[in-house]
Amino acid sequence: MSDSADGEPGPRVVALSWVDNAGISRVKAVPAHRLEHANRWGVGMAPVVDTFLVDDSRAGGPGFDGPVGDLRLRPDLTRLTPLAAQPGWAWAPADRYGQDGTPYEGCQRSFALRMTREARARDFAPFRAREAGNPFFRALVHHNAATFDRCAGQAPPSWEVDAHLIRVTARAGARGEPSPEGRHRDGFDYIALHHVGRANVTGGRTTLYAAEDGPPLATTTFSLPLDSLYAQDARILHDVTPVSVAVPAAHGHRDMLLMSFKAREDTG
C-alpha cells in the first residue's frame, strides 16, 4: 500500500476480519506489503474455529473440525479502509474459501451476500413506518401470535416476529422463483403465509412436506387476498413452484406477506 496524498506513511499492517458461526468477530493480520499475495493465495485458517460457541464449548459437525490450514481467508480489497484512529493499520473484510478455491459453506459473509442477492432478485420490499404501524397489519400480527399460542399449548413470554413483503415477478421467457432453494424451513417455530395479490401469472403452488424426500402433506395455490397458510416450521418443510406470465405481452407478479414467529424465553 502506498503513502497517502499528504505524504503520511501508508498502513503497515492490514487486519482481515470475519464473523464465525457463534457471532464472534475474529481477526488475522498481514503485513501490508504481503496483501497482494494474501489476496491471491489466501491466509490459512482452521474450520475448527466454527465449532466453538460463545462459552467456548464445542458443537462439531461434518466439515467443521478439520486441521489448521484447511481454509483460506481472502480479503475483499474493494472494502480496504485505512483506520484513522489506528495509525499504521488498515482493515478489510475476508471471505473464506477451500484450498481448491471454492466458497466455504460456513462463511457468514458469503452467505449474507448470497441472501442479499436473492432478496434483490425476489424483490423484497422494506417495511416503512406507515406499514409497520398500519392497524390491520398490527391486528394480523396479534391474531397470528394468538393462533401460535394455542398451537404451542402454552403461550411463551413473548414472540420474536419477522415480517416481510415479497413480490416475485415474471416476464415472457423468464419465470419468477418464489422458492429457489426448494423444500426448506425458515428457521423459526411457526410461519404464516398471507397472499396479498397476483396479476397475470400462473403457478405459485405452495406445498407442505414432513420430510426432505417424503410425499406432500398439503398443497394450495393462493388466489384471493388474505388466502393464508399456517405451519409449524420446526417440523414442516415448504416449497413454492415458479410463476409464469399468463399473457406473454405483459409482466406479472405474485405478492405475499410472510411472518415468522420464534418463542422467546424472556421479555427483554
Side-chain angles (χ1 to χ4, degrees), residues 4 26 28 43 45 47 57 86 103 112 130 159 183 227 241 249 252:
S4 63
R26 300 186 181 271
K28 280 202 170 185
V43 177
M45 176 264 172
S57 61
Q86 190 70 35
R130 68 180 184 184
W159 290 104
R183 298 186 192 188
D227 279 351
T241 61

Side-chain angles (χ1 to χ4, degrees), residues 219-234:
T219 184
T220 186
T221 301
F222 300 131
S223 58
L224 299 176
L226 213 58
D227 279 351
S228 300
L229 185 149
Y230 294 81
Q232 187 175 4
D233 188 55

Side-chain angles (χ1 to χ4, degrees), residues 11 20 24 52 56 63 109 155 213 256 258:
D20 67 18
I24 299 173
F52 288 98
D56 284 338
R109 186 168 186 265
D213 55 356
M256 296 289 297
L258 311 182

